[in-house]
PDB file of all heavy atoms in Angstrom:
ATOM      1  N   GLY A  30      64.780  77.148  53.240  1.00 96.00           N
ATOM      2  CA  GLY A  30      66.118  77.721  53.284  1.00 96.00           C
ATOM      3  C   GLY A  30      66.628  77.917  54.694  1.00 96.00           C
ATOM      4  O   GLY A  30      67.809  77.684  54.975  1.00 96.00           O
ATOM      5  N   ALA A  31      65.745  78.332  55.602  1.00 93.00           N
ATOM      6  CA  ALA A  31      66.153  78.534  56.996  1.00 93.00           C
ATOM      7  C   ALA A  31      66.609  77.212  57.616  1.00 93.00           C
ATOM      8  O   ALA A  31      67.589  77.173  58.365  1.00 93.00           O
ATOM      9  CB  ALA A  31      65.012  79.136  57.807  1.00 93.00           C
ATOM     10  N   PHE A  32      65.926  76.121  57.293  1.00 92.00           N
ATOM     11  CA  PHE A  32      66.331  74.802  57.783  1.00 92.00           C
ATOM     12  C   PHE A  32      67.733  74.464  57.284  1.00 92.00           C
ATOM     13  O   PHE A  32      68.577  74.000  58.062  1.00 92.00           O
ATOM     14  CB  PHE A  32      65.334  73.733  57.325  1.00 92.00           C
ATOM     15  CG  PHE A  32      65.752  72.330  57.667  1.00 92.00           C
ATOM     16  CD1 PHE A  32      65.374  71.763  58.874  1.00 92.00           C
ATOM     17  CD2 PHE A  32      66.525  71.594  56.793  1.00 92.00           C
ATOM     18  CE1 PHE A  32      65.758  70.472  59.201  1.00 92.00           C
ATOM     19  CE2 PHE A  32      66.921  70.305  57.111  1.00 92.00           C
ATOM     20  CZ  PHE A  32      66.537  69.741  58.312  1.00 92.00           C
ATOM     21  N   LEU A  33      67.982  74.681  55.991  1.00 95.00           N
ATOM     22  CA  LEU A  33      69.300  74.378  55.435  1.00 95.00           C
ATOM     23  C   LEU A  33      70.392  75.196  56.120  1.00 95.00           C
ATOM     24  O   LEU A  33      71.442  74.665  56.496  1.00 95.00           O
ATOM     25  CB  LEU A  33      69.320  74.642  53.927  1.00 95.00           C
ATOM     26  CG  LEU A  33      68.422  73.758  53.059  1.00 95.00           C
ATOM     27  CD1 LEU A  33      68.524  74.177  51.604  1.00 95.00           C
ATOM     28  CD2 LEU A  33      68.767  72.284  53.224  1.00 95.00           C
ATOM     29  N   ARG A  34      70.129  76.487  56.305  1.00 95.00           N
ATOM     30  CA  ARG A  34      71.115  77.362  56.956  1.00 95.00           C
ATOM     31  C   ARG A  34      71.385  76.918  58.387  1.00 95.00           C
ATOM     32  O   ARG A  34      72.535  76.811  58.811  1.00 95.00           O
ATOM     33  CB  ARG A  34      70.640  78.812  56.932  1.00 95.00           C
ATOM     34  CG  ARG A  34      71.632  79.781  57.593  1.00 95.00           C
ATOM     35  CD  ARG A  34      71.148  81.227  57.570  1.00 95.00           C
ATOM     36  NE  ARG A  34      69.742  81.391  57.889  1.00 95.00           N
ATOM     37  CZ  ARG A  34      69.233  81.357  59.127  1.00 95.00           C
ATOM     38  NH1 ARG A  34      70.007  81.162  60.163  1.00 95.00           N
ATOM     39  NH2 ARG A  34      67.933  81.526  59.301  1.00 95.00           N
ATOM     40  N   LYS A  35      70.323  76.626  59.127  1.00 90.00           N
ATOM     41  CA  LYS A  35      70.492  76.197  60.518  1.00 90.00           C
ATOM     42  C   LYS A  35      71.240  74.869  60.610  1.00 90.00           C
ATOM     43  O   LYS A  35      72.067  74.683  61.501  1.00 90.00           O
ATOM     44  CB  LYS A  35      69.128  76.100  61.207  1.00 90.00           C
ATOM     45  CG  LYS A  35      68.526  77.457  61.484  1.00 90.00           C
ATOM     46  CD  LYS A  35      67.128  77.335  62.054  1.00 90.00           C
ATOM     47  CE  LYS A  35      66.494  78.705  62.182  1.00 90.00           C
ATOM     48  NZ  LYS A  35      65.083  78.627  62.579  1.00 90.00           N
ATOM     49  N   ALA A  36      70.967  73.958  59.689  1.00 91.00           N
ATOM     50  CA  ALA A  36      71.685  72.680  59.672  1.00 91.00           C
ATOM     51  C   ALA A  36      73.174  72.914  59.389  1.00 91.00           C
ATOM     52  O   ALA A  36      74.037  72.322  60.040  1.00 91.00           O
ATOM     53  CB  ALA A  36      71.085  71.746  58.622  1.00 91.00           C
ATOM     54  N   ARG A  37      73.469  73.801  58.433  1.00 93.00           N
ATOM     55  CA  ARG A  37      74.875  74.108  58.111  1.00 93.00           C
ATOM     56  C   ARG A  37      75.570  74.730  59.312  1.00 93.00           C
ATOM     57  O   ARG A  37      76.687  74.331  59.669  1.00 93.00           O
ATOM     58  CB  ARG A  37      74.946  75.058  56.907  1.00 93.00           C
ATOM     59  CG  ARG A  37      76.366  75.497  56.556  1.00 93.00           C
ATOM     60  CD  ARG A  37      76.403  76.464  55.403  1.00 93.00           C
ATOM     61  NE  ARG A  37      75.628  77.680  55.586  1.00 93.00           N
ATOM     62  CZ  ARG A  37      75.988  78.701  56.379  1.00 93.00           C
ATOM     63  NH1 ARG A  37      77.106  78.657  57.085  1.00 93.00           N
ATOM     64  NH2 ARG A  37      75.220  79.775  56.467  1.00 93.00           N
ATOM     65  N   GLU A  38      74.908  75.672  59.946  1.00 91.00           N
ATOM     66  CA  GLU A  38      75.505  76.338  61.107  1.00 91.00           C
ATOM     67  C   GLU A  38      75.683  75.359  62.263  1.00 91.00           C
ATOM     68  O   GLU A  38      76.702  75.392  62.952  1.00 91.00           O
ATOM     69  CB  GLU A  38      74.640  77.523  61.532  1.00 91.00           C
ATOM     70  CG  GLU A  38      74.694  78.661  60.530  1.00 91.00           C
ATOM     71  CD  GLU A  38      73.684  79.766  60.795  1.00 91.00           C
ATOM     72  OE1 GLU A  38      72.768  79.572  61.645  1.00 91.00           O
ATOM     73  OE2 GLU A  38      73.791  80.826  60.143  1.00 91.00           O
ATOM     74  N   TYR A  39      74.720  74.491  62.485  1.00 87.00           N
ATOM     75  CA  TYR A  39      74.822  73.494  63.544  1.00 87.00           C
ATOM     76  C   TYR A  39      76.022  72.582  63.308  1.00 87.00           C
ATOM     77  O   TYR A  39      76.743  72.233  64.239  1.00 87.00           O
ATOM     78  CB  TYR A  39      73.533  72.661  63.625  1.00 87.00           C
ATOM     79  CG  TYR A  39      73.695  71.429  64.472  1.00 87.00           C
ATOM     80  CD1 TYR A  39      73.812  71.528  65.854  1.00 87.00           C
ATOM     81  CD2 TYR A  39      73.745  70.166  63.892  1.00 87.00           C
ATOM     82  CE1 TYR A  39      73.978  70.403  66.636  1.00 87.00           C
ATOM     83  CE2 TYR A  39      73.911  69.037  64.666  1.00 87.00           C
ATOM     84  CZ  TYR A  39      74.031  69.159  66.038  1.00 87.00           C
ATOM     85  OH  TYR A  39      74.204  68.040  66.811  1.00 87.00           O
TER      86      TYR A  39
END
Side-chain angles (χ1 to χ4, degrees):
F32 174 90
L33 295 178
R34 180 180 43 78
K35 288 175 186 173
R37 176 182 58 74
E38 290 171 349
Y39 167 71

